[in-house]
Amino acid sequence: MSTFTIDSATSRATPTPVPGKRMTVPAIRARKAGGTSAEPLVMLTAYTMRTAQLLDPHCEMLLVGDSLGQVIYGLPSTVPVTLEMMCAHGAAVVRGSWHALVAVDMPFGSYEGSPEQAFASAARVMKETGCAAVKLEGGEAMAPTVEFLTRRGIPVIGHVGLTPQAVNVLGGYGARGKSEAEAAKIVGDAKAVADAGAFCVVVEGVIESIADAVTKAIGVPTIGIGASANCDGQVLVTEDMLGLFERTPRFVKRYADLASEIGAAAAAYRDEVRARAFPSAEQVYRAKP
Ligand code: KIV
């Protein structure tokens, strides 16, 4: 199904979304009405207009994750990601989608200082991108900020468990919650941000029993990544599940092998260019007779 009319007279970069009704924050929250979600929510990351167009019909939510630091910019972690990067990619994803709720990650350093700092950053993200929500990492410590934002019209997705922006404190990206104390802390963190008003909570890199406990403990949907099928929804980094990287973490399932396909296409192009087989008559402009 095509969701866009592309004005080929102008540019393939200016698609016009077919008017439609996007998923809303209350609609996402309502998926867990009564404490359980009948159908899991589907979320994928997107950083560009074209990827958003392709994913949008299949997802309830698109996340402009700060994982773009590694995936798009080749940075060593998400720590150096800036608000400017998030705004530029967020706006592209909003332009390329019409159905999914688009949420944009708040980058490290843009919200932790104070609720007021978080509000200024989140308001900028919403104004410059047109997204419907922001996501921020952290549990209990961030609960006052989540409340401050939601009471002022900024919908927030929480993010607990493995929080990649804290890699320098955690010492790596290993699964969290292996001790009883750590498990209890993660459940407490999820409750704190949900009670503060988060409309869903990403639960990343935790052992299955914690994902289960968090999902039972909070009244809003949990979105798992490396957190088992017990969550109310799932998210993956799109480039991971498309097989664009040689190494993928254990929790990723590859649904395609695009790295091999891209490599094969580039090699075929190289061979034809070198053999002067490309461009052929079909791709060459000629004067009209
Ligand atoms: O940045 C990101 O892509 C994320 C997901 C992994 C949840 O936060």
Side-chain angles (χ1 to χ4, degrees), residues 36-126:
T36 47
S37 18
E39 193 180 33
L41 289 157
V42 181
M43 186 193 233
L44 281 169
T45 60
Y47 318 120
T48 65
M49 178 279 294
R50 185 59 182 147
T51 306
Q53 282 182 328
L54 296 171
L55 303 178
D56 182 68
H58 311 289
C59 296
E60 276 86 37
M61 289 187 277
L62 291 175
L63 173 67
V64 187
D66 62 352
S67 49
L68 62 72
Q70 289 113 315
V71 176
I72 300 282
Y73 290 94
L75 294 168
S77 73
T78 55
V79 171
V81 172
T82 63
L83 264 179
E84 285 69 26
M85 290 175 188
M86 298 313 300
C87 285
H89 289 274
V93 168
V94 170
R95 283 195 291 273
S97 59
W98 68 281
H99 158 259
L101 181 149
V102 177
V104 176
D105 260 346
M106 302 282 286
F108 177 70
S110 71
Y111 63 94
E112 304 90 330
S114 66
E116 289 78 7
Q117 182 209 16
F119 182 82
S121 302
R124 175 176 169 196
V125 167
M126 293 188 80

